[in-house]
Amino acid sequence: MTATTPTSVRTWTSPAGWSTVARQEIGELWLSSKGLAVLFGYSLLLALLAYIASADAGINLLDARESVGVIVQTAIGLGTLAALVVSADAISGERERGTLEALLVTPVSRRSLVIGKLVAATTMWVATLVVALPFVAVMADGPGVAGDAILVLVIAGGLVAAALTALGLAISSIAMSNRVSLAAAVAVLLVLAAPSQLPGVKANSALGSVLIKANPVSAGLKMANNVLVDQQPWTDQTAYLISPIVAAVALTALAVTLSKRLELGGAR
Amino acid sequence: MHTSVAPAVETEQLTVRYGKLTAVDRLDLTARPGEILGLLGPNGAGKTSVIRALTTIVPVASGSATIAGHQLSDPRAVRASIGVLPESNGYPGAQNAPAYLRYYGQLFGLDRSEAERRAQRLLQQMSLGGNDNPVGTFSRGMRQRLGLARALINEPAVLFLDEPTLGLDPAGQSDILAQLTRAAVEDHTCVILCSHLLDEVERVCDRVAIMDHASIVATGTVDDVIANAGVGGRGRVRVAPEAISAATAALGDCPAVLSTSFDNTRPGDLDIDLAATAHPARQVLSALLAAGIEPRAFDLQGARLSDAFLALTTNETPT
């Protein structure tokens, strides 16, 4: 008589999820030179801009409110770019460095991997926000809009950054190489930022207004301009928050959905 | 009551396709706990695809497989039971070895202290203990040992190794082979070893499976595969010069010997053409001893796994 015994009596506990991945990724980002180098560059650019914006009229042609608007918009734009670059590297970078396969053969779900990396990339935005807050607070103190400036930076900037960080991760999960992922992510950011450069007349037309509101990046930047420069009340700005909110939710959902198809070689 | 151990790996008609390309075609394979199975084949034969299918990296087009009692349809349970060292495994440059292993231990559900304990034990075992330098400063051999330690962090039931000794010096190769043998013998881990280094496969593998064009063309022990491949070999036996005629007669009746010849310039040396059979050396020596002839030297040439490999496989297939 033959009886079959189980092959393995080795047991395993439920694997840690996204928090383990996030802790690891945050450590790699901030204990290596990558995150600190990006943050240092960001700080330098913001300091240079703040210096020019706060200088006398000889080199600064903007009034105090316009200077605050420029600083806040720059902080949002550059902070978002920094977070986007980090997230666009998150999976395609592992793929390129040959470290993805070892991760994919652990019992941690693809979804947990992606969420952990998303959380880590978001810390780049948080770090840029922390760097930008003193600049914005000091610059906005003169015209008395410090509260508004900080709120715009946190709310509009946070939503735009969340949307584009998720987009970067979604691109990274399907890109076959890191170069493709980074190029695609930055190209998308540039395309989204383009409507904010529309001339004032075009931007105020019906079509221009719709284009700006429908685009999360231009909507966030336009809202900053409306509140800080044009002194429009917050209550009139809710329409500008719709596309950033929708984009943040939809792109995060997209990134998580694509995680189910996370493949070693990228999308075929 | 006889008790048998269930296979650690069992595939049935396993097929993997990439678009129209069939990378693995109806593979039937079994490996037991504690067994080292060499998976051989020319480039593009499908070895890596087999490993990637069995480690849930690539989907299976048809057929089924069970790993440590878990169906591939339960990928998280399969992954929890396996360790994998891929062929081109990357390493974090800035992280040190204990932190690297601790992280993977935690990914397998270990708490921090248990992950740390296992990491330290494995690092000691791999002769990497006390080294807190960044992994980026490690030699290739050190990285491969670290990769093997990472693959063992969850004490896997099945260990998949894809070319683990590629590019290593002889000492590095020996280290890796010793570690995987230890895992098989002491921990009863089933080891699936892909390698092009047939000498090392011959040395450590209990059984081999040779793949060609997406299918298995031979499987069994090394001796069985050599015998079944139909590759003979040559040998040279040295006896006392006055016994050369008796030796010729004794070997004439030996089924492992096709023919013998001798050269008067080398008195006592007898050249032998061997048949494709299992254990030809044992048969030749037994025949001589049975005839009361004591061999003074015996040299076996050919009839190695590499001969069988070349006989069973065709040229490199496109990948």
Side-chain angles (χ1 to χ4, degrees), chain A residues 1-8 10-17 20-25 28 32 94 97-110 112-113 262-264 268, chain B residues 1-8 18 33 52 55-57 68-69 76-77 79-80 82 84 86 88-92 94-95 99 103-104 106-110 150 155-157 187-189:
Chain A
M1 182 181 167
T2 298
T4 299
T5 60
T7 298
S8 172
R10 295 158 222 215
T11 58
W12 58 286
T13 56
S14 178
T20 304
V21 178
R23 275 199 303 275
Q24 171 73 11
E25 295 290 324
E28 277 185 19
S32 70
E94 299 265 16
R97 291 185 288 273
T99 49
L100 185 60
E101 188 165 358
L103 281 175
L104 294 182
V105 294
T106 67
V108 172
S109 69
R110 267 67 167 163
S112 293
L113 280 176
L262 189 57
E263 290 182 15
L264 190 59
R268 274 190 285 272
Chain B
M1 184 175 92
H2 171 68
T3 301
S4 70
V5 176
Y18 302 122
R52 287 187 170 158
T55 57
T56 75
I57 290 288
R76 291 182 73 181
R79 289 182 212 137
I82 61 174
V84 186
S88 49
N89 192 47
Y91 297 89
Q95 203 170 27
Y103 173 50
Y104 275 89
Q106 290 178 294
L107 291 179
F108 277 94
L110 304 178
R150 198 255 308 134
E155 297 178 350
D187 301 337
H188 304 290
T189 304

Side-chain angles (χ1 to χ4, degrees), chain B residues 84-86 89 91 100-101 126 128 141-152 159 161:
Chain B
V84 186
L85 180 56
N89 192 47
Y91 297 89
Y100 175 67
L101 293 187
M126 301 288 167
L128 294 170
M142 291 165 76
R143 287 184 195 200
Q144 284 299 86
R145 295 206 300 276
L146 178 62
L148 186 55
R150 198 255 308 134
L152 291 168
L159 182 60
L161 306 172

Side-chain angles (χ1 to χ4, degrees), chain B residues 22 44 52 56 72 88 95 140 142 147 171 178 185 189 206 208 249 252 261 291 298 305 308:
Chain B
T22 300
R52 287 187 170 158
T56 75
L72 286 182
S88 49
Q95 203 170 27
R140 180 166 173 79
M142 291 165 76
V185 172
T189 304
D206 300 303
V208 295
S261 60
F298 181 69
L305 183 57

Side-chain angles (χ1 to χ4, degrees), chain B residues 285-297:
Chain B
L285 295 173
S286 298
L288 291 171
L289 291 170
I293 302 164
E294 187 167 338
R296 293 179 173 178

Side-chain angles (χ1 to χ4, degrees), chain A residues 13-81:
Chain A
T13 56
S14 178
W18 62 269
S19 60
T20 304
V21 178
R23 275 199 303 275
Q24 171 73 11
E25 295 290 324
I26 289 169
E28 277 185 19
L29 179 60
W30 295 110
L31 296 179
S32 70
S33 55
K34 187 169 72 175
L36 294 175
V38 171
L39 199 60
F40 181 69
Y42 174 84
S43 306
L44 273 185
L45 280 173
L46 216 56
L48 181 65
L49 192 65
Y51 173 75
I52 293 171
S54 60
D56 60 32
I59 56 172
N60 178 23
L61 303 178
L62 304 175
D63 68 23
R65 281 180 164 276
E66 285 175 326
S67 295
V68 174
V70 168
I71 283 284
V72 169
Q73 287 176 327
T74 304
I76 292 173
L78 292 180
T80 298
L81 176 64

